Amino acid sequence: SVKSAIKGACNRSAVNGAGLHPALSHHQAAHLRGMKSLEPEEEVDDDPKVTLEAKDLWDQFHKLGTEMVITKSGRRMFPPFKVRINGLDKKAKYILLMDIVAADDCRYKFHNSRWMVAGKAEPAMPGRLYVHPDSPATGAHWMRQLVSFQKLKLTNNHLDPFGHIILNSMHKYQPRLHIVKADENNAFGSKNTAYCTHVFHETSFISVTSYQNHKITQLKIENNPFAKGFRGSEDGDLRVSRIQGKEYPIISKNMVRQKIISSQNHLTGKFRAGVLTGHPQVLSSYQYDTGTPFSKSGSQDPMSNNFPQSRDPSLMYHCFKHRGMLLLSAHACSHNHVKKLYIHPFYEDTPHYFRSAPSYESPLVSHSYCTEAMSSREACMYGGIDTESRPGVVDADGLTSSPSVSGNMWAARQPYPHYSVEGISYQPFTAHFTNPTPITPGVPHQAPSMVSRPQKTLHVQGGGGGGGVILQSQEYFLDFTHYSKRVLKTLAFIKQYFFSVLTAYFKCVFITLT
DNA sequence: TCTGTCACGTC
DNA sequence: AGACGTGACAG
């Protein structure tokens, strides 16, 4: 079983075009052994295989250093995250969801046509989840066609009320796909629910508010149908560039070439793509030579080198079975001078601000925080959920062994809420309830007693209906009259406070205890 | 560095 | 037809 598990993981690795991290198999083996001896009877046969759609396109972006624009109102990713899935139990129900986690601890800047580290990362933002709109659905459904997460939106608005995934600009991120096995009847109320996580390292990106690398801009324009308006004319030699209603003179390819050659130093700043909208043929030969985003030295793997100090795993595939998950969240929102604190019991909103170690750290370096740095609130939120077994989280010598990488089977253990594996942290999932559990004053601030069945299960917008946003606008809000512009900086404290208070009021369970 | 607005495009 | 997704730009 262990053998086949690792083999399976390796196969997936090959499918996804990523080599297995050397440390992975060790952890996998250790974990699998431990898991099997613990709860062998809970292993199940389904063995989801996930392949990334448009991997070639992702690779093209990844080579250049993918950038994703984030806006206040939310921006889709391009390329869209789509996967093909095989190996699910046709009849079982699954929930598919994504999250996007910090890939490292750095803030970046684009300097001299290169991404460079520019300091320490901002505190991690709330880890929101995007639940696929078809969820929950049968394995047969998920395997029938491409599974698209293209409606997922990214925002830099820390107060975002729409349920978009909140990111910090100029930081590096790694999207992750989670497949959660659910009961027939109860999306998030399943017993013995398992999930597995897939990471495609070629989908990592740096978030920006405007593109930094014009090669990325061009690649987006060339490939994103919505950006067709910025493409050159069909005629490869002549083009018209339209900027704000004005038509600029037709410019021949030769002119472009000469202009570019004669003014290379100014190209990046002044020949913005819109002025001389680059036809691929032109750009590939001329425009591209000014922007070398990353050092090309050394690496034999063109993919391994795109971001400095990347801690990306090559591929991760790990499964868990977890016993229970609490959820609730608080969001501060500010609209038109009205300051409110929104509380969305819909998405996870774990305040990472107070973690003593960044979430991306590998278990080998972050072991201490796994056990020691859990805040009391976190202990409250997760305490009592996994009272059973969590062997493997901390070894006798204090080092963590990874329960997160189980390879080929659904895991039989709950992941530690903040567990990180090969550079990517584990974060708990969050259920999203259409009807939040009513506020009940006087409930003591004690976690174990709070674990109960959700009154309603996951809200997901219907398959064809579009949308798919997790949030149904049913916020509770409290006035916050003395918010100032510093709201973002104080948000952490506010949230921490309200979490403490509200945990006592919301009794929500992601997956109930068995 | 970020935001709102725009023209132009898709869906 | 109209809502929505784009990058460019100005500020």
Side-chain angles (χ1 to χ4, degrees):
Chain A
S1 162
V2 174
K3 250 187 190 173
S4 71
I6 295 175
K7 188 182 160 204
C10 292
N11 286 343
R12 270 183 292 282
S13 182
V15 164
N16 296 314
L20 207 60
H21 191 284
L24 204 58
S25 44
H26 169 75
H27 283 293
Q28 273 182 329
H31 173 52
L32 290 173
R33 275 194 299 274
M35 190 176 70
K36 193 183 179 197
S37 67
L38 282 164
E39 304 182 65
E41 75 284 357
E42 293 195 63
E43 291 177 14
V44 290
D45 289 337
D46 44 344
D47 172 25
K49 296 176 177 60
V50 183
T51 57
L52 179 66
E53 181 71 5
K55 175 178 161 45
D56 288 349
L57 186 57
W58 278 107
D59 283 343
Q60 288 182 53
F61 278 99
H62 194 59
K63 278 183 208 165
L64 300 172
T66 310
E67 298 171 27
M68 296 289 176
V69 169
I70 58 178
T71 67
K72 196 176 169 185
S73 58
R75 196 78 146 190
R76 291 185 179 185
M77 293 202 289
F78 189 88
F81 191 97
K82 299 180 183 179
V83 292
R84 286 185 192 281
I85 302 178
N86 281 301
L88 295 176
D89 177 347
K90 282 185 183 173
K91 290 179 183 172
K93 291 212 170 181
Y94 299 87
I95 295 148
L96 265 63
L97 47 85
M98 285 186 64
D99 64 3
I100 298 179
V101 294
D104 59 30
D105 191 21
C106 302
R107 182 187 179 85
Y108 291 88
K109 63 180 175 183
F110 194 70
H111 189 65
N112 290 334
S113 300
R114 276 185 170 75
W115 282 107
M116 305 176 68
V117 173
K120 190 128 175 112
E122 298 287 310
M125 287 309 297
R128 287 183 175 173
L129 304 176
Y130 176 84
V131 179
H132 191 284
D134 290 359
S135 301
T138 60
H141 175 88
W142 295 119
M143 294 188 291
R144 190 156 41 229
Q145 73 275 312
L146 262 181
V147 179
S148 170
F149 289 86
Q150 72 186 133
K151 287 185 175 171
L152 178 157
K153 284 186 175 179
L154 312 176
T155 182
N156 56 347
N157 181 10
H158 292 207
L159 311 176
D160 171 78
F162 302 112
H164 301 146
I165 290 183
I166 302 171
L167 304 178
N168 283 315
S169 185
M170 310 305 264
H171 288 60
K172 188 184 172 191
Y173 290 99
Q174 175 64 65
R176 307 187 303 183
L177 167 71
H178 307 281
I179 302 175
V180 180
K181 199 172 182 183
D183 249 7
E184 272 187 2
N185 310 323
N186 193 338
F188 275 109
S190 168
K191 298 177 182 178
N192 297 321
T193 295
Y195 70 86
C196 61
T197 297
H198 293 258
V199 174
F200 301 92
H201 71 138
E202 60 269 52
T203 62
S204 66
F205 61 87
I206 290 181
S207 54
V208 296
T209 54
S210 68
Y211 291 120
Q212 306 293 301
N213 182 349
H214 65 273
K215 294 183 185 178
I216 292 294
T217 313
Q218 288 308 312
L219 208 47
K220 298 248 182 183
I221 289 171
E222 289 160 20
N223 292 280
N224 189 336
F226 286 110
K228 261 187 180 167
F230 300 103
R231 292 179 191 170
S233 68
E234 289 306 311
D235 179 349
D237 204 87
L238 302 175
R239 81 189 69 263
V240 173
S241 181
R242 291 173 291 272
I243 296 177
Q244 302 211 338
K246 296 171 189 166
E247 290 206 344
Y248 283 69
I250 293 172
I251 300 167
S252 77
K253 192 157 63 178
N254 283 339
M255 285 173 63
V256 175
R257 182 179 303 144
Q258 288 173 5
K259 194 84 176 175
I260 291 173
I261 289 172
S262 67
S263 60
Q264 273 191 345
N265 290 341
H266 305 286
L267 185 62
T268 302
K270 295 183 178 175
F271 270 26
R272 295 299 294 247
V275 179
L276 294 172
T277 304
H279 195 274
Q281 278 85 18
V282 177
L283 293 167
S284 61
S285 303
Y286 301 100
Q287 190 172 351
Y288 285 8
D289 62 357
T290 58
T292 305
F294 307 121
S295 162
K296 287 175 181 166
S297 65
S299 174
Q300 283 155 348
D301 172 13
M303 289 297 151
S304 70
N305 199 19
N306 294 340
F307 296 107
Q309 302 182 5
S310 169
R311 299 185 192 222
D312 276 357
S314 44
L315 165 82
M316 287 183 300
Y317 177 88
H318 23 219
C319 302
F320 284 100
K321 176 166 293 180
H322 48 153
R323 298 279 174 195
M325 194 69 74
L326 220 86
L327 65 118
L328 63 101
S329 74
H331 291 272
C333 296
S334 171
H335 296 305
N336 302 325
H337 307 98
V338 179
K339 277 67 179 184
K340 298 167 179 176
L341 181 80
Y342 285 80
I343 298 136
H344 301 304
F346 311 101
Y347 15 80
E348 172 197 273
D349 194 354
T350 308
H352 297 196
Y353 311 98
F354 298 98
R355 291 182 184 175
S356 63
S359 61
Y360 57 85
E361 291 205 356
S362 91
L364 291 177
V365 292
S366 63
H367 54 88
S368 59
Y369 91 93
C370 288
T371 51
E372 296 162 13
M374 194 167 74
S375 73
S376 60
R377 187 200 57 75
E378 288 163 331
C380 173
M381 283 189 71
Y382 302 109
I385 293 172
D386 180 25
T387 56
E388 202 169 340
S389 61
R390 203 161 57 219
V393 170
V394 181
D395 288 338
D397 60 358
L399 291 177
T400 52
S401 62
S402 171
S404 312
V405 183
S406 70
N408 209 16
M409 65 192 75
W410 296 92
R413 221 181 290 146
Q414 183 200 357
Y416 197 82
H418 297 155
Y419 218 79
S420 61
V421 179
E422 301 302 330
I424 301 297
S425 70
Y426 260 100
Q427 299 172 339
F429 296 120
T430 313
H432 305 270
F433 299 105
T434 50
N435 283 351
T437 308
I439 291 177
T440 320
V443 177
H445 185 190
Q446 295 292 334
S449 64
M450 292 167 43
V451 176
S452 65
R453 275 197 170 270
Q455 306 212 331
K456 274 214 171 178
T457 52
L458 170 76
H459 168 78
V460 182
Q461 294 198 346
V469 175
I470 302 165
L471 174 69
Q472 279 289 328
S473 300
Q474 290 195 14
E475 306 94 358
Y476 299 114
F477 46 85
L478 309 170
D479 282 341
F480 254 77
T481 50
H482 47 277
Y483 264 15
S484 70
K485 263 195 157 184
R486 297 170 59 209
V487 62
L488 293 184
K489 291 189 175 178
T490 57
L491 182 58
F493 284 98
I494 291 166
K495 290 175 72 174
Q496 177 77 3
Y497 171 74
F498 270 85
F499 258 112
S500 304
V501 175
L502 291 168
T503 5
Y505 291 153
F506 286 89
K507 297 190 290 181
C508 300
V509 172
F510 174 26
I511 297 161
T512 54
L513 295 173
T514 55

